[in-house]
């Protein structure tokens, strides 16, 4: 079987790193894209330890020239792009929406929405040249319901779902499969740093009574990026212990 090539944005931490490790175990060539050189290079090291070929590309997904760079560099290194986990994102400082500064609102839009669009723009162009591929965009539970104090975040994640659905309608016949995931709160490094009481309160609000673990999200992303999910297209998959059901 031909070796597949994947690009993972936000691959230096959290979901991105977990997905990288799962794809590495399948022997995938991997481009790790992240702002953080230290974390991105650490993911590359972990992937290589699992026997795959991996490179780190330092890039800011909110800068169109950086996005073109990570796409071009991946194609120059591995020849093509089969899989794309369009995942890098940030949340927000947790204030009521009108108290969010214009600067912070713009930054969240630049990374969470424009960054996802730029990635789709250049990656889909490459996939069209090579006969197709599979894409997973990271939305959020906050893309399906409004999260008070995370207005900009919720707005951009709703927008990621809109982009996913629109583009799925455009490229399915050209063998490009595109889905979105909507994770609930997961114990990534950021959440783990919260006070114990805050974590317990968040867990209580989830029907399953606990927060998610990054590998539980990565399991779904790996499935969506594999041929096992060959007829899932334009879907938004919740991974949230039932939180969206309330
Ligand atoms: N953790 C959760 O509970 C949760 C829930 C729902 C959705 N999400 C979404 O999942 C995605 C990944 O989150 P995570 O929890 O793994 O976070 P994380 O902070 O652990 O990882 C995100 C990575 O993205 C990188 N990054 C941030 N801005 C960037 C930029 N402009 N350019 C390139 N890289 C950048 C960071 O350096 C970091 O390595 C995000 O889109 C987030 O909104 C997370």
């Amino acid at each position: 079987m031909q070796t597949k090539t994947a690009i993972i944005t936000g691959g230096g931490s959290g979901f991105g790193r977990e997905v990288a490790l799962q794809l590495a175990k399948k022997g995938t060539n991997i481009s790790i894209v992240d702002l953080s050189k230290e974390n991105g290079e650490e993911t590359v090291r972990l992937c290589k330890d699992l026997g795959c070929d991996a490179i780190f590309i330092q890039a800011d997904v909110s800068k169109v020239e950086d996005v073109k760079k990570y796409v071009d560099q991946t194609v120059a290194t591995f020849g093509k792009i089969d899989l794309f986990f369009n995942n890098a994102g940030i949340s927000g400082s947790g204030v009521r929406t009108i108290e969010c500064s214009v600067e912070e609102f713009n930054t969240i839009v630049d990374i969470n929405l424009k960054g996802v669009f730029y990635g789709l723009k250049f990656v889909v162009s490459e996939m069209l040249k090579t006969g197709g591929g599979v894409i997973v965009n990271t939305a959020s539970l906050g893309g399906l319901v409004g999260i008070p104090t995370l207005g900009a975040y919720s707005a951009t994640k709703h927008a990621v779902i809109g982009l996913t659905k629109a583009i799925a309608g455009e490229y399915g016949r050209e063998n490009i499969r595109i889905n979105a995931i909507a994770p609930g709160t997961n114990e990534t490094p950021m959440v783990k740093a919260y006070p114990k009481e805050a974590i317990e309160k968040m867990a209580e609000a989830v029907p399953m009574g606990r927060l998610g673990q990054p590998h539980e999200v990565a399991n779904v992303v790996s499935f969506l990026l594999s041929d096992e999910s060959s007829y899932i297209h334009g879907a938004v998959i919740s991974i949230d212990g039932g939180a969206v059901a309330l």
Side-chain angles (χ1 to χ4, degrees):
M1 239 174 30
Q2 247 200 333
T3 305
K4 288 189 174 168
T5 295
I7 295 178
I8 300 175
T9 67
S13 177
F15 302 155
R17 178 174 286 175
E18 287 291 328
V19 170
L21 298 180
Q22 294 200 7
L23 294 185
K25 285 180 193 154
K26 296 182 184 179
T28 313
N29 296 326
I30 301 172
S31 282
I32 295 294
V33 175
D34 208 290
L35 266 183
S36 164
K37 189 167 187 286
E38 194 187 339
N39 293 345
E41 286 182 342
E42 174 63 6
T43 303
V44 164
R45 193 187 63 73
L46 294 168
C47 288
K48 284 184 168 171
D49 282 352
L50 291 167
C52 79
D53 199 355
I55 57 168
F56 171 64
I57 304 169
Q58 189 170 31
D60 180 344
V61 300
S62 70
K63 296 198 171 124
V64 69
E65 62 278 10
D66 279 23
V67 176
K68 181 136 183 27
K69 177 185 81 175
Y70 78 62
V71 169
D72 288 349
Q73 210 171 311
T74 301
V75 173
T77 307
F78 296 121
K80 62 188 169 53
I81 304 161
D82 303 290
L83 313 173
F84 180 36
F85 185 31
N86 199 3
N87 165 72
I90 59 169
S91 59
S93 54
V95 293
R96 287 205 284 179
T97 300
I98 62 163
E99 286 151 21
C100 178
S101 70
V102 169
E103 192 186 27
E104 178 177 305
F105 195 95
N106 285 336
T107 301
I108 294 170
V109 170
D110 285 348
I111 296 172
N112 290 9
L113 176 54
K114 292 186 189 171
V116 167
F117 163 67
Y118 299 151
L120 292 169
K121 183 171 178 59
F122 295 112
V123 170
V124 168
S125 300
E126 285 302 324
M127 288 177 169
L128 287 171
K129 293 180 199 165
T130 54
V134 189
I135 298 172
V136 174
N137 296 324
T138 300
S140 169
L141 172 63
L144 294 167
V145 300
I147 302 184
T149 76
L150 289 178
Y153 177 82
S154 294
T156 56
K157 294 300 187 178
H158 275 75
V160 167
I161 289 174
L163 262 182
T164 304
K165 289 178 176 173
I167 205 164
E170 294 165 353
Y171 293 101
R173 285 181 178 77
E174 278 147 298
N175 197 33
I176 300 179
R177 239 172 11 89
I178 305 168
N179 293 293
I181 53 163
T185 308
N186 273 262
E187 289 194 62
T188 52
M190 183 186 72
V191 173
K192 271 188 174 161
Y194 293 170
K196 194 166 168 274
E197 308 76 60
I199 295 181
E200 281 169 5
K201 204 170 161 203
M202 286 190 287
E204 261 169 43
V206 177
M208 283 182 70
R210 65 173 178 86
L211 301 185
Q213 297 300 323
H215 76 268
E216 295 179 298
V217 172
N219 289 343
V220 177
V221 175
S222 297
F223 165 71
L224 289 173
L225 290 175
S226 77
D227 294 341
E228 299 292 303
S229 61
S230 51
Y231 201 52
I232 301 180
H233 180 55
V236 183
I237 309 291
S238 288
I239 315 158
D240 64 1
V244 77
L246 297 181

